[in-house]
Amino acid sequence: MTQSQSADVDQRIVRPPATALVIFGASGDLTSRKLIPALCNLAEDQYLPEHFIVIGSSRSKLSDEDFRAKVLEGVKKHSRRPISPAVWEAFARNLHYQPLDGEKPEDFEALKQRLEALTAPHGVRFNYVYYLAMAPQFFGPIASNLKEVGLIEDYSKEARQTSVVVEKPFGHDLESARELNRVIRQSLAEEQIYRIDHYLGKETVQNILVFRFANGIFEPLWNRKYVDHIQISVCEDIGIGTRAAYFDQNGILRDIVQNHVLQMLALLCIEPPISLSDADSIRDEKAKVLRSIKRMTPEEVRENTVRAQYVAGTVDSETVAGYREEKGVAESSSTDSYVGLKLEIDNWRWSGVPIYIRAGKRLPKRITEITIFFNKAPDSLFKGRNIGELEHNVLSIQVQPKEGMSLRISSKPPGPRMRVRPVEMDFTYDSSFGVASPEAYERLLLDVMKGDATLFTRNDEIEESWDLLAPIFEAWSGPNPPPLYEYKAGTWGPPEADQLLAPMKHTWRKL
Ligand code: BG6
């Protein structure tokens, strides 16, 4: 498809109905770094509803003007492309601020009046989207206060659509996730809750479905008969920055694996859903995959998991501190900044296929990749030709930063001798589509305004993810925990992580 054709298709996009978006926690980082820049990019593409207002809300006492000035800084710094002054001005006219304490019912009355005053002049009924960009302990009080003043209507097809977007972390473990869900379900129906996992909004992650189900050639190979093993790597060069208070309580297994990695894995391994156009078809299949992942015994936790922490080292020619020296981290912290895992999906399609996962901070570079290693061809025809062992065909889906895919195949280099060399067939979004991919938050905000929950995580998926990690947390914090290894910042993690793959003679893919 050429660039102009793809633009034509995009222009046919149906704009969401009239929407008032209220962001709770609006003075925080997420609003300036992600949410407002995403909305501005949607405005730039004319994807926002014709009638649209945003109210930022938090405890800080800001005027509309203060709030606009604050988030404009964020837009300038973090938007994926410059926003034209005319688009910003039109957008900013609909951007407001309302101070609010999430635990004070009277503040919700004031919010209600503000919403009514701002929406009334439009003369149309507005849907309400509440974005909870804040710590989970506030989800319950905010939802119940919204409900109390009538800002959440009971769910029905006829009622005003009211949606609540909740950010991760959704709980700290299975118990707390269940409790959180119980609390918010007192005020909301499941259909009104949008649990965001921004990885599901990434183009390359959405493409997993198209790639698998819109091509005839891969699906027959997508199973234990042809797949040797799978690797998923989420590597970051950054440390924990200013987020010690959050990260040190959670660690990388909770921060990245419980949500982003398991969601990518689930999409990669689902059975064909019965439809792509209702949210539950895909979510049903994802939940089944998560449910099929083998739960580990304490012994298996020792064999199949490796956790580690970075010590001082060099990343991108810069000397950086070790994890325990980071500001806000306790000297004796045993929080994992790296994790390696070996999982198995114990179902008909995948049984026996090892799935290796690694995620870490302060690795040499930022790269997220899903890699499928297919079975090797028998080398009988090439025996005695001194070409070494044949290699796996490898399909790699690069989620970021260089969005694209590649397939490694064996080929004969030119010349009189019969030799075999691997070559890569690849495509990048950049060169094939000629347009920059939107940020994940753009797609997800648009979907919630349209009432499409396909790319949001359902409660049972969250519970399954916590459930399958529970034995690991238990063993790690138990009386005789497996070791916490070290790795130097700027390296690919602890050498012990190689041992996860060694029994099957596998090695981590070089990234
Ligand atoms: C967040 C984690 O969910 O994802 C962060 O809390 C992490 O620790 C971030 O850095 C990574 O997101 P992305 O889109 O940059 O890969």
Side-chain angles (χ1 to χ4, degrees):
M1 196 188 268
T2 64
Q3 189 173 339
S4 68
Q5 277 170 324
S6 75
D8 286 349
V9 173
D10 282 355
Q11 274 158 21
R12 272 185 265 129
I13 218 164
V14 182
R15 288 173 166 220
T19 303
L21 168 67
V22 183
I23 304 174
F24 293 94
S27 56
D29 209 34
L30 186 76
T31 307
S32 310
R33 245 175 1 101
K34 295 286 184 190
L35 302 181
I36 302 290
L39 291 170
C40 287
N41 276 284
L42 291 172
E44 189 75 47
D45 288 332
Q46 299 177 19
Y47 289 165
L48 286 179
E50 198 186 331
H51 301 281
F52 182 61
I53 63 158
V54 180
I55 300 183
S57 188
S58 75
R59 272 193 283 205
S60 315
K61 302 258 175 287
L62 301 176
S63 66
D64 283 359
E65 280 316 318
D66 297 336
F67 182 56
R68 287 172 190 153
K70 178 176 159 54
V71 296
L72 179 58
E73 284 309 302
V75 171
K76 287 186 182 150
K77 226 159 125 191
H78 301 293
S79 170
R80 66 181 165 93
R81 59 184 168 176
I83 300 299
S84 63
V87 167
W88 167 256
E89 269 162 39
F91 177 80
R93 275 197 292 279
N94 296 314
L95 188 58
H96 308 274
Y97 185 82
Q98 176 75 24
L100 174 141
D101 180 332
E103 286 170 309
K104 285 200 181 138
E106 62 274 21
D107 286 3
F108 286 79
E109 266 307 333
L111 175 66
K112 185 180 183 186
Q113 282 164 21
R114 190 84 196 275
L115 264 171
E116 285 168 358
L118 288 169
T119 54
H122 291 260
V124 291
R125 185 172 81 167
F126 272 67
N127 289 336
Y128 293 159
V129 174
Y130 304 112
Y131 200 114
L132 309 190
M134 54 198 345
Q137 67 263 32
F138 299 111
F139 295 174
I142 290 181
S144 98
N145 279 321
L146 285 168
K147 179 93 180 176
E148 205 54 38
V149 297
L151 281 176
I152 293 176
E153 292 181 21
D154 284 344
Y155 176 75
S156 85
K157 292 242 153 48
E158 295 71 44
R160 175 203 303 279
Q161 187 186 306
T162 312
S163 317
V164 176
V165 185
V166 296
E167 268 290 337
K168 62 175 273 257
F170 199 84
H172 187 73
D173 52 21
L174 181 58
E175 283 312 299
S176 55
R178 281 194 177 140
E179 175 58 15
L180 190 54
N181 198 51
R182 192 189 62 75
V183 169
I184 57 175
R185 286 296 304 275
Q186 287 171 348
S187 314
L188 295 158
E190 177 64 29
E191 289 84 348
Q192 295 173 310
I193 306 169
Y194 289 71
R195 298 176 193 80
I196 206 161
D197 183 321
H198 76 280
Y199 266 59
L200 293 181
K202 290 184 190 275
E203 283 292 338
T204 32
V205 175
Q206 292 168 50
N207 193 38
I208 293 174
L209 288 177
V210 175
F211 178 78
R212 279 193 57 192
F213 302 124
N215 291 299
I217 60 170
F218 296 107
E219 201 45 31
L221 308 180
W222 219 253
N223 57 52
R224 60 193 297 275
K225 255 170 95 180
Y226 299 99
V227 174
D228 181 79
H229 72 282
I230 295 173
Q231 295 189 14
I232 300 183
S233 307
V234 179
C235 308
E236 293 183 280
D237 51 356
I238 53 171
I240 55 165
T242 52
R243 299 167 73 222
Y246 156 79
F247 191 88
D248 203 40
Q249 293 301 311
N250 287 282
I252 203 84
L253 187 59
R254 288 188 168 90
D255 185 43
I256 298 283
V257 178
Q258 182 268 336
N259 35 68
H260 308 324
V261 171
L262 290 178
Q263 284 293 318
M264 289 192 286
L265 176 63
L267 272 184
L268 188 76
C269 296
I270 52 172
E271 294 303 313
I274 52 176
S275 154
L276 286 184
S277 44
D278 77 287
D280 282 334
S281 298
I282 294 180
R283 302 197 293 179
D284 287 345
E285 297 305 332
K286 280 196 293 163
K288 282 189 214 162
V289 173
L290 296 168
R291 200 173 313 142
S292 311
I293 296 177
K294 247 190 186 165
R295 276 40 177 176
M296 292 183 205
T297 62
E299 260 324 293
E300 286 166 337
V301 172
R302 284 189 172 273
E303 279 163 31
N304 297 331
T305 73
V306 166
R307 60 176 176 153
Q309 253 180 10
Y310 57 85
V311 295
T314 311
V315 180
D316 222 0
S317 330
E318 209 186 294
T319 308
V320 298
Y323 180 75
R324 290 182 185 175
E325 289 126 44
E326 299 275 16
K327 208 163 155 232
V329 172
E331 266 174 45
S332 58
S333 168
S334 59
T335 301
D336 47 307
S337 66
Y338 174 97
V339 67
L341 301 179
K342 181 180 169 200
L343 301 179
E344 186 187 339
I345 303 174
D346 194 13
N347 66 9
W348 188 262
R349 188 188 279 262
W350 294 112
S351 176
V353 177
I355 297 163
Y356 302 109
I357 287 166
R358 62 181 154 168
K361 301 268 183 201
R362 286 289 189 225
L363 301 182
K365 58 179 173 181
R366 176 176 183 253
I367 180 167
T368 299
E369 196 189 75
I370 301 168
T371 322
I372 293 107
F373 292 75
F374 291 94
N375 290 342
K376 290 180 181 174
D379 59 2
S380 45
L381 287 176
F382 302 95
K383 277 210 177 90
R385 288 184 180 269
N386 205 18
I387 56 162
E389 211 184 328
L390 293 176
E391 298 200 16
H392 292 284
N393 293 116
V394 178
L395 176 73
S396 94
I397 301 172
Q398 198 165 119
V399 175
Q400 58 192 22
K402 207 169 139 223
E403 302 166 305
M405 279 192 176
S406 71
L407 180 65
R408 189 165 75 194
I409 51 176
S410 293
S411 243
K412 178 186 168 299
R417 279 176 49 211
M418 173 57 84
R419 289 180 303 156
V420 179
R421 289 277 178 283
V423 290
E424 304 281 340
M425 284 170 35
D426 57 10
F427 100 90
T428 61
Y429 279 57
D430 205 19
S431 54
S432 296
F433 299 124
V435 283
S437 291
E439 279 273 336
Y441 278 94
E442 294 172 40
R443 169 65 193 264
L444 296 172
L445 284 166
L446 200 57
D447 281 3
V448 71
M449 290 190 263
K450 289 182 177 167
D452 181 354
T454 310
L455 299 178
F456 293 81
T457 321
R458 210 170 51 189
N459 187 50
D460 53 346
E461 298 175 61
I462 302 225
E463 289 195 1
E464 289 298 341
S465 320
W466 283 123
D467 184 63
L468 81 93
L469 298 180
I472 305 178
F473 294 127
E474 215 166 287
W476 283 5
S477 59
N480 178 23
L484 172 70
Y485 297 108
E486 286 182 352
Y487 61 104
K488 242 173 124 175
T491 65
W492 288 106
E496 289 80 2
D498 298 350
Q499 295 312 311
L500 286 176
L501 294 77
M504 308 279 289
K505 297 202 168 53
H506 295 141
T507 52
W508 290 113
R509 178 167 154 90
K510 285 200 174 55
L511 298 173

